[in-house]
Amino acid sequence: MAKKSKIARDAQRREVVARYAERRAELRAASVNPHLTEAERVAARTELQAQPRDASAVRLRNRDLADGRPRGHLRRFGLSRVRFRQMALRGELPGVTKSSW
Protein backbone atom coordinates (compact mmCIF):
# COMPACT_ATOMS: atom_id res chain seq x y z
CA MET A 1 0.00 0.00 0.00
CA ALA A 2 1.35 3.38 -1.00
CA LYS A 3 1.46 6.29 1.40
CA LYS A 4 -1.74 8.30 1.46
CA SER A 5 0.21 11.46 0.73
CA LYS A 6 1.61 10.00 -2.51
CA ILE A 7 -1.86 8.93 -3.65
CA ALA A 8 -3.27 12.38 -2.82
CA ARG A 9 -0.41 14.14 -4.61
CA ASP A 10 -0.99 12.04 -7.71
CA ALA A 11 -4.72 12.85 -7.67
CA GLN A 12 -3.93 16.55 -7.35
CA ARG A 13 -1.48 16.35 -10.27
CA ARG A 14 -4.11 14.66 -12.43
CA GLU A 15 -6.49 17.56 -11.78
CA VAL A 16 -3.83 20.13 -12.71
CA VAL A 17 -2.91 18.24 -15.88
CA ALA A 18 -6.57 18.09 -16.92
CA ARG A 19 -7.03 21.80 -16.23
CA TYR A 20 -4.06 22.87 -18.38
CA ALA A 21 -4.21 20.14 -21.08
CA GLU A 22 -6.05 22.14 -23.74
CA ARG A 23 -3.94 25.28 -23.36
CA ARG A 24 -0.69 23.27 -23.32
CA ALA A 25 -1.70 21.54 -26.57
CA GLU A 26 -2.37 24.91 -28.21
CA LEU A 27 0.95 26.34 -27.05
CA ARG A 28 2.94 23.28 -28.13
CA ALA A 29 1.37 23.41 -31.57
CA ALA A 30 2.08 27.13 -31.85
CA SER A 31 5.70 26.73 -30.73
CA VAL A 32 6.53 24.53 -33.73
CA ASN A 33 4.15 26.03 -36.30
CA PRO A 34 6.25 27.17 -39.29
CA HIS A 35 3.50 29.57 -40.44
CA LEU A 36 3.89 31.79 -37.36
CA THR A 37 6.60 34.39 -36.93
CA GLU A 38 9.63 33.64 -34.80
CA ALA A 39 8.44 36.11 -32.13
CA GLU A 40 5.07 34.35 -31.84
CA ARG A 41 6.77 30.96 -31.50
CA VAL A 42 9.08 32.30 -28.80
CA ALA A 43 6.12 33.82 -26.96
CA ALA A 44 4.33 30.45 -27.05
CA ARG A 45 7.42 28.68 -25.66
CA THR A 46 7.79 31.30 -22.95
CA GLU A 47 4.17 30.93 -21.87
CA LEU A 48 4.53 27.16 -21.92
CA GLN A 49 7.55 27.36 -19.63
CA ALA A 50 5.70 29.73 -17.30
CA GLN A 51 3.00 27.17 -16.59
CA PRO A 52 3.22 25.07 -13.41
CA ARG A 53 5.47 22.02 -13.55
CA ASP A 54 2.66 19.73 -12.50
CA ALA A 55 0.66 20.79 -15.57
CA SER A 56 2.81 18.48 -17.68
CA ALA A 57 1.38 15.00 -18.26
CA VAL A 58 4.89 13.54 -18.05
CA ARG A 59 4.84 14.03 -14.29
CA LEU A 60 1.93 11.62 -13.80
CA ARG A 61 2.61 8.16 -12.41
CA ASN A 62 0.49 5.12 -13.23
CA ARG A 63 -0.71 3.69 -9.94
CA ASP A 64 -2.80 0.73 -8.86
CA LEU A 65 -6.44 1.80 -8.54
CA ALA A 66 -6.96 -0.30 -5.43
CA ASP A 67 -3.97 0.54 -3.24
CA GLY A 68 -1.83 3.04 -5.15
CA ARG A 69 1.20 0.80 -5.74
CA PRO A 70 3.42 2.64 -8.25
CA ARG A 71 5.36 -0.28 -9.72
CA GLY A 72 4.34 -3.26 -11.80
CA HIS A 73 1.30 -1.45 -13.22
CA LEU A 74 -0.79 -3.31 -15.83
CA ARG A 75 -2.37 -0.59 -17.95
CA ARG A 76 -5.14 -2.79 -19.36
CA PHE A 77 -6.59 -3.50 -15.90
CA GLY A 78 -5.37 -0.48 -13.94
CA LEU A 79 -3.92 -2.78 -11.30
CA SER A 80 -0.47 -3.70 -10.08
CA ARG A 81 0.88 -7.17 -10.85
CA VAL A 82 0.39 -8.25 -7.24
CA ARG A 83 -3.24 -7.12 -7.04
CA PHE A 84 -3.96 -8.52 -10.51
CA ARG A 85 -2.75 -11.96 -9.46
CA GLN A 86 -4.80 -11.94 -6.27
CA MET A 87 -7.98 -10.86 -8.02
CA ALA A 88 -7.49 -13.27 -10.94
CA LEU A 89 -7.01 -16.25 -8.64
CA ARG A 90 -10.16 -15.36 -6.71
CA GLY A 91 -12.09 -15.03 -9.99
CA GLU A 92 -12.86 -11.33 -9.56
CA LEU A 93 -11.68 -10.37 -13.06
CA PRO A 94 -14.14 -11.48 -15.73
CA GLY A 95 -12.57 -13.36 -18.61
CA VAL A 96 -9.25 -13.89 -16.85
CA THR A 97 -8.25 -17.45 -16.02
CA LYS A 98 -5.02 -18.98 -14.85
CA SER A 99 -3.40 -20.82 -17.70
CA SER A 100 -2.52 -24.50 -17.44
CA TRP A 101 -1.42 -26.98 -20.06
Side-chain angles (χ1 to χ4, degrees):
M1 175 93 187
K3 291 168 56 172
K4 300 248 186 238
S5 61
K6 293 286 187 181
I7 296 170
R9 171 76 52 89
D10 188 57
Q12 182 180 13
R13 276 192 181 140
R14 288 184 187 281
E15 291 175 9
V16 173
V17 167
R19 189 178 333 139
Y20 284 92
E22 187 176 337
R23 182 63 182 154
R24 284 185 69 84
E26 292 171 3
L27 290 172
R28 288 186 66 181
S31 68
V32 295
N33 188 348
H35 300 296
L36 297 178
T37 65
E38 184 63 27
E40 290 172 332
R41 288 197 302 255
V42 169
R45 280 188 229 119
T46 305
E47 186 178 340
L48 191 61
Q49 290 174 350
Q51 288 188 343
R53 283 186 176 180
D54 285 345
S56 175
V58 176
R59 293 176 64 96
L60 294 178
R61 179 76 183 198
N62 289 330
R63 291 184 172 271
D64 185 332
L65 294 176
D67 63 2
R69 188 177 201 277
R71 305 225 175 161
H73 182 265
L74 301 175
R75 185 177 296 172
R76 182 173 179 181
F77 297 95
L79 301 170
S80 68
R81 61 180 177 79
V82 177
R83 182 61 52 122
F84 174 78
R85 182 178 165 89
Q86 291 171 352
M87 291 178 74
L89 289 175
R90 288 191 302 238
E92 296 176 0
L93 298 175
V96 176
T97 57
K98 187 173 187 294
S99 66
S100 62
W101 58 91

